[in-house]
Amino acid sequence: MGGGLGVGDVSPYVSPSPPSMYPTNSLPPFTPKPGGIRQHLWVPSEPHLPVALQTEEDYIPYPSVHEVLGREGPFPLILLPQFGGYWIEGTNHQLSGAPEPPPNPAPGTRVRLEGNHTAKIYRKHFLGKEHFNYYSLDPALGHLVFSLKYDEQEHLHLLLRTRTRTLHDVVPISCLAEFPNVVQMAKLVCEDINVDRFYPVLYPKASRLILAFDEHVLSNHFKFGVIYQKLGQTSEEELFGTTEESPAFTEFLDILGQRVQLRDFKGFRGGLDVTHGQTGSESVYCHFRDKEIMFHVSTKLPYTEGDAQQLQRKRHIGNDIVAVVFQDENTPFVPDMIASNFLHAFVVVQLEPGGPQGPLYKVSVTARDDVPFFGPPLPDPAVFRKGPEFQEFLLTKLINAEYACYKAEKFAKLEERTRAALLETLHEELQGRSQAMLGMGPDEERPDNGSAPGFFESFKVGPGAGGGGA
């Protein structure tokens, strides 16, 4: 956890004594997150502030950013929206002395990048090796695609795909009384299987189709928003209305990546125009651990005179899932300052002059309540000195934030619908191709040469996607 407590924060383990102006039974709900804490009521140093309006649920709102700015600072990097809905990590930024940079990782080790590791199992353990694929239709679980492999160590590698998830297990043959049939093998992975049989896949290119399905959730391309918040800016219009960049912000952008000219840019463009210059002339780009990252920088996207909402800027940043907020000075950021259905997590960085050794950066992280905590955890205090370790931490935190956001309700439901549709298509492809191989019927709708390929063959899969078992 980003450890410690900052101004206006309370321990996640001790309930605070509420100010007299707030009824005890009306305190906002307080639920600590693993690795982070939920910020609680800002307790004013002066009494007799007006009581904030209550909702129909008799919920006492958190103070607004304007109320907080009326108090004596320093202020936290992040304030919760008045009615919560977010968690915060990294609230202690008090330095007893000069901060030490994060220790260099031991040789061969790195800060862990999150991801869908199950999606990589088929390529790692099945592709290019003797294995068998099957399909079936369960009355309750729906379409099923099952892969199995028997290795030299006498282990069964089992990989079962359902419309909601992929299940994997490795079972030593020595643990079984007798060698199981395919249905029994599938039940070793999922006891809820209720089918009489699985049908063998006989199509020679089946591994390409299965690999495309498994890896549809993987991506080496990421786009993140970068928002520059100047002193006193507390609204979306002010944030997106800034056109100039301070030297401190420019220096921070150099930490994130390199400046690139967008015209004729050949790398991942993150939705930016690289032909006609309609999204600005330059941006910030980074190649990090075999992943390409394009940043949507608020000050580099086109500014439109007379447009208070700056829709050209919001169109890109408002459709990102994760954004960085850079603060020159001590003005808190509130996650609902930017109205967006997509933005689910923010990494907020505030400059702290560091003297001759270079600038320091305070960091706090906030995400919607249904986003699980993601690493790497912030140090305590959550302060970094400029350097490669800080860049490594930031980029890893941003990528892991996006993976965590996919587990939020909005994105999880979307992925579940997408997965179910793709699995049904895969099942139909495998069934139709296998029947055609047996001469059981024409395969005119899925020509194999010259005409439009089947749906899954249109997936762009990496090298080595061919081969393997049936």
PDB file of all heavy atoms in Angstrom, residues 212-227:
ATOM      1  N   ALA A 212      -6.285 -17.842 -32.033  1.00  0.00           N
ATOM      2  CA  ALA A 212      -6.869 -16.517 -32.230  1.00  0.00           C
ATOM      3  C   ALA A 212      -7.927 -16.227 -31.172  1.00  0.00           C
ATOM      4  O   ALA A 212      -8.006 -15.114 -30.640  1.00  0.00           O
ATOM      5  CB  ALA A 212      -7.472 -16.411 -33.625  1.00  0.00           C
ATOM      6  N   PHE A 213      -8.729 -17.224 -30.838  1.00  0.00           N
ATOM      7  CA  PHE A 213      -9.732 -17.024 -29.783  1.00  0.00           C
ATOM      8  C   PHE A 213      -9.059 -16.783 -28.438  1.00  0.00           C
ATOM      9  O   PHE A 213      -9.396 -15.830 -27.721  1.00  0.00           O
ATOM     10  CB  PHE A 213     -10.657 -18.231 -29.678  1.00  0.00           C
ATOM     11  CG  PHE A 213     -11.572 -18.163 -28.484  1.00  0.00           C
ATOM     12  CD1 PHE A 213     -12.718 -17.395 -28.511  1.00  0.00           C
ATOM     13  CD2 PHE A 213     -11.250 -18.835 -27.301  1.00  0.00           C
ATOM     14  CE1 PHE A 213     -13.545 -17.293 -27.397  1.00  0.00           C
ATOM     15  CE2 PHE A 213     -12.064 -18.741 -26.194  1.00  0.00           C
ATOM     16  CZ  PHE A 213     -13.215 -17.972 -26.242  1.00  0.00           C
ATOM     17  N   ASP A 214      -8.119 -17.625 -28.080  1.00  0.00           N
ATOM     18  CA  ASP A 214      -7.480 -17.499 -26.765  1.00  0.00           C
ATOM     19  C   ASP A 214      -6.802 -16.146 -26.597  1.00  0.00           C
ATOM     20  O   ASP A 214      -6.821 -15.546 -25.518  1.00  0.00           O
ATOM     21  CB  ASP A 214      -6.449 -18.608 -26.573  1.00  0.00           C
ATOM     22  CG  ASP A 214      -7.083 -19.939 -26.177  1.00  0.00           C
ATOM     23  OD1 ASP A 214      -8.321 -19.992 -26.070  1.00  0.00           O
ATOM     24  OD2 ASP A 214      -6.335 -20.916 -25.986  1.00  0.00           O
ATOM     25  N   GLU A 215      -6.184 -15.643 -27.661  1.00  0.00           N
ATOM     26  CA  GLU A 215      -5.368 -14.436 -27.542  1.00  0.00           C
ATOM     27  C   GLU A 215      -6.098 -13.164 -27.947  1.00  0.00           C
ATOM     28  O   GLU A 215      -5.472 -12.098 -28.029  1.00  0.00           O
ATOM     29  CB  GLU A 215      -4.085 -14.604 -28.368  1.00  0.00           C
ATOM     30  CG  GLU A 215      -3.194 -15.729 -27.846  1.00  0.00           C
ATOM     31  CD  GLU A 215      -1.842 -15.799 -28.529  1.00  0.00           C
ATOM     32  OE1 GLU A 215      -1.651 -15.082 -29.538  1.00  0.00           O
ATOM     33  OE2 GLU A 215      -0.977 -16.564 -28.054  1.00  0.00           O
ATOM     34  N   HIS A 216      -7.417 -13.246 -28.143  1.00  0.00           N
ATOM     35  CA  HIS A 216      -8.136 -12.024 -28.530  1.00  0.00           C
ATOM     36  C   HIS A 216      -8.125 -10.981 -27.409  1.00  0.00           C
ATOM     37  O   HIS A 216      -8.349  -9.797 -27.652  1.00  0.00           O
ATOM     38  CB  HIS A 216      -9.580 -12.345 -28.945  1.00  0.00           C
ATOM     39  CG  HIS A 216     -10.541 -12.500 -27.808  1.00  0.00           C
ATOM     40  ND1 HIS A 216     -10.759 -13.714 -27.171  1.00  0.00           N
ATOM     41  CD2 HIS A 216     -11.349 -11.615 -27.180  1.00  0.00           C
ATOM     42  CE1 HIS A 216     -11.655 -13.548 -26.211  1.00  0.00           C
ATOM     43  NE2 HIS A 216     -12.036 -12.290 -26.190  1.00  0.00           N
ATOM     44  N   VAL A 217      -7.856 -11.416 -26.179  1.00  0.00           N
ATOM     45  CA  VAL A 217      -7.818 -10.479 -25.047  1.00  0.00           C
ATOM     46  C   VAL A 217      -6.431  -9.875 -24.846  1.00  0.00           C
ATOM     47  O   VAL A 217      -6.267  -8.991 -23.998  1.00  0.00           O
ATOM     48  CB  VAL A 217      -8.261 -11.187 -23.745  1.00  0.00           C
ATOM     49  CG1 VAL A 217      -9.711 -11.615 -23.834  1.00  0.00           C
ATOM     50  CG2 VAL A 217      -7.366 -12.394 -23.449  1.00  0.00           C
ATOM     51  N   LEU A 218      -5.441 -10.345 -25.603  1.00  0.00           N
ATOM     52  CA  LEU A 218      -4.078  -9.859 -25.415  1.00  0.00           C
ATOM     53  C   LEU A 218      -3.800  -8.697 -26.357  1.00  0.00           C
ATOM     54  O   LEU A 218      -4.282  -8.667 -27.483  1.00  0.00           O
ATOM     55  CB  LEU A 218      -3.071 -10.977 -25.680  1.00  0.00           C
ATOM     56  CG  LEU A 218      -3.184 -12.227 -24.808  1.00  0.00           C
ATOM     57  CD1 LEU A 218      -2.119 -13.236 -25.204  1.00  0.00           C
ATOM     58  CD2 LEU A 218      -3.067 -11.877 -23.335  1.00  0.00           C
ATOM     59  N   SER A 219      -3.029  -7.751 -25.879  1.00  0.00           N
ATOM     60  CA  SER A 219      -2.642  -6.624 -26.712  1.00  0.00           C
ATOM     61  C   SER A 219      -1.294  -6.096 -26.249  1.00  0.00           C
ATOM     62  O   SER A 219      -1.003  -6.066 -25.053  1.00  0.00           O
ATOM     63  CB  SER A 219      -3.678  -5.502 -26.635  1.00  0.00           C
ATOM     64  OG  SER A 219      -3.249  -4.373 -27.380  1.00  0.00           O
ATOM     65  N   ASN A 220      -0.493  -5.700 -27.205  1.00  0.00           N
ATOM     66  CA  ASN A 220       0.774  -5.040 -26.899  1.00  0.00           C
ATOM     67  C   ASN A 220       0.688  -3.546 -27.166  1.00  0.00           C
ATOM     68  O   ASN A 220       1.719  -2.868 -27.234  1.00  0.00           O
ATOM     69  CB  ASN A 220       1.909  -5.673 -27.718  1.00  0.00           C
ATOM     70  CG  ASN A 220       2.262  -7.061 -27.221  1.00  0.00           C
ATOM     71  OD1 ASN A 220       2.238  -7.326 -26.019  1.00  0.00           O
ATOM     72  ND2 ASN A 220       2.581  -7.955 -28.135  1.00  0.00           N
ATOM     73  N   HIS A 221      -0.524  -3.040 -27.337  1.00  0.00           N
ATOM     74  CA  HIS A 221      -0.745  -1.625 -27.629  1.00  0.00           C
ATOM     75  C   HIS A 221      -1.592  -0.989 -26.543  1.00  0.00           C
ATOM     76  O   HIS A 221      -2.642  -1.529 -26.165  1.00  0.00           O
ATOM     77  CB  HIS A 221      -1.442  -1.464 -28.992  1.00  0.00           C
ATOM     78  CG  HIS A 221      -0.648  -1.978 -30.146  1.00  0.00           C
ATOM     79  ND1 HIS A 221      -1.224  -2.515 -31.273  1.00  0.00           N
ATOM     80  CD2 HIS A 221       0.700  -2.057 -30.337  1.00  0.00           C
ATOM     81  CE1 HIS A 221      -0.274  -2.881 -32.120  1.00  0.00           C
ATOM     82  NE2 HIS A 221       0.903  -2.617 -31.566  1.00  0.00           N
ATOM     83  N   PHE A 222      -1.148   0.162 -26.049  1.00  0.00           N
ATOM     84  CA  PHE A 222      -1.870   0.861 -24.991  1.00  0.00           C
ATOM     85  C   PHE A 222      -1.914   2.349 -25.309  1.00  0.00           C
ATOM     86  O   PHE A 222      -0.980   2.902 -25.895  1.00  0.00           O
ATOM     87  CB  PHE A 222      -1.181   0.650 -23.635  1.00  0.00           C
ATOM     88  CG  PHE A 222      -1.209  -0.769 -23.160  1.00  0.00           C
ATOM     89  CD1 PHE A 222      -0.231  -1.664 -23.551  1.00  0.00           C
ATOM     90  CD2 PHE A 222      -2.222  -1.212 -22.323  1.00  0.00           C
ATOM     91  CE1 PHE A 222      -0.259  -2.972 -23.129  1.00  0.00           C
ATOM     92  CE2 PHE A 222      -2.260  -2.521 -21.887  1.00  0.00           C
ATOM     93  CZ  PHE A 222      -1.282  -3.405 -22.286  1.00  0.00           C
ATOM     94  N   LYS A 223      -3.004   2.989 -24.916  1.00  0.00           N
ATOM     95  CA  LYS A 223      -3.127   4.440 -25.045  1.00  0.00           C
ATOM     96  C   LYS A 223      -3.614   4.995 -23.706  1.00  0.00           C
ATOM     97  O   LYS A 223      -4.554   4.484 -23.113  1.00  0.00           O
ATOM     98  CB  LYS A 223      -4.085   4.828 -26.184  1.00  0.00           C
ATOM     99  CG  LYS A 223      -5.492   4.255 -26.078  1.00  0.00           C
ATOM    100  CD  LYS A 223      -6.293   4.571 -27.337  1.00  0.00           C
ATOM    101  CE  LYS A 223      -7.732   4.069 -27.208  1.00  0.00           C
ATOM    102  NZ  LYS A 223      -8.544   4.847 -26.294  1.00  0.00           N
ATOM    103  N   PHE A 224      -2.936   6.029 -23.252  1.00  0.00           N
ATOM    104  CA  PHE A 224      -3.269   6.645 -21.969  1.00  0.00           C
ATOM    105  C   PHE A 224      -3.397   8.151 -22.146  1.00  0.00           C
ATOM    106  O   PHE A 224      -2.658   8.766 -22.924  1.00  0.00           O
ATOM    107  CB  PHE A 224      -2.179   6.356 -20.929  1.00  0.00           C
ATOM    108  CG  PHE A 224      -1.936   4.889 -20.673  1.00  0.00           C
ATOM    109  CD1 PHE A 224      -0.688   4.322 -20.917  1.00  0.00           C
ATOM    110  CD2 PHE A 224      -2.944   4.075 -20.198  1.00  0.00           C
ATOM    111  CE1 PHE A 224      -0.457   2.988 -20.688  1.00  0.00           C
ATOM    112  CE2 PHE A 224      -2.724   2.725 -19.957  1.00  0.00           C
ATOM    113  CZ  PHE A 224      -1.480   2.184 -20.209  1.00  0.00           C
ATOM    114  N   GLY A 225      -4.338   8.738 -21.416  1.00  0.00           N
ATOM    115  CA  GLY A 225      -4.464  10.177 -21.415  1.00  0.00           C
ATOM    116  C   GLY A 225      -3.427  10.821 -20.502  1.00  0.00           C
ATOM    117  O   GLY A 225      -2.972  10.212 -19.527  1.00  0.00           O
ATOM    118  N   VAL A 226      -3.036  12.044 -20.818  1.00  0.00           N
ATOM    119  CA  VAL A 226      -2.168  12.839 -19.951  1.00  0.00           C
ATOM    120  C   VAL A 226      -2.819  14.212 -19.810  1.00  0.00           C
ATOM    121  O   VAL A 226      -2.996  14.916 -20.806  1.00  0.00           O
ATOM    122  CB  VAL A 226      -0.740  12.984 -20.511  1.00  0.00           C
ATOM    123  CG1 VAL A 226       0.124  13.794 -19.543  1.00  0.00           C
ATOM    124  CG2 VAL A 226      -0.107  11.625 -20.761  1.00  0.00           C
ATOM    125  N   ILE A 227      -3.170  14.581 -18.588  1.00  0.00           N
ATOM    126  CA  ILE A 227      -3.888  15.822 -18.321  1.00  0.00           C
ATOM    127  C   ILE A 227      -2.997  16.733 -17.494  1.00  0.00           C
ATOM    128  O   ILE A 227      -2.449  16.310 -16.463  1.00  0.00           O
ATOM    129  CB  ILE A 227      -5.201  15.535 -17.565  1.00  0.00           C
ATOM    130  CG1 ILE A 227      -6.087  14.592 -18.384  1.00  0.00           C
ATOM    131  CG2 ILE A 227      -5.946  16.828 -17.242  1.00  0.00           C
ATOM    132  CD1 ILE A 227      -7.191  13.933 -17.581  1.00  0.00           C
TER     133      ILE A 227
END
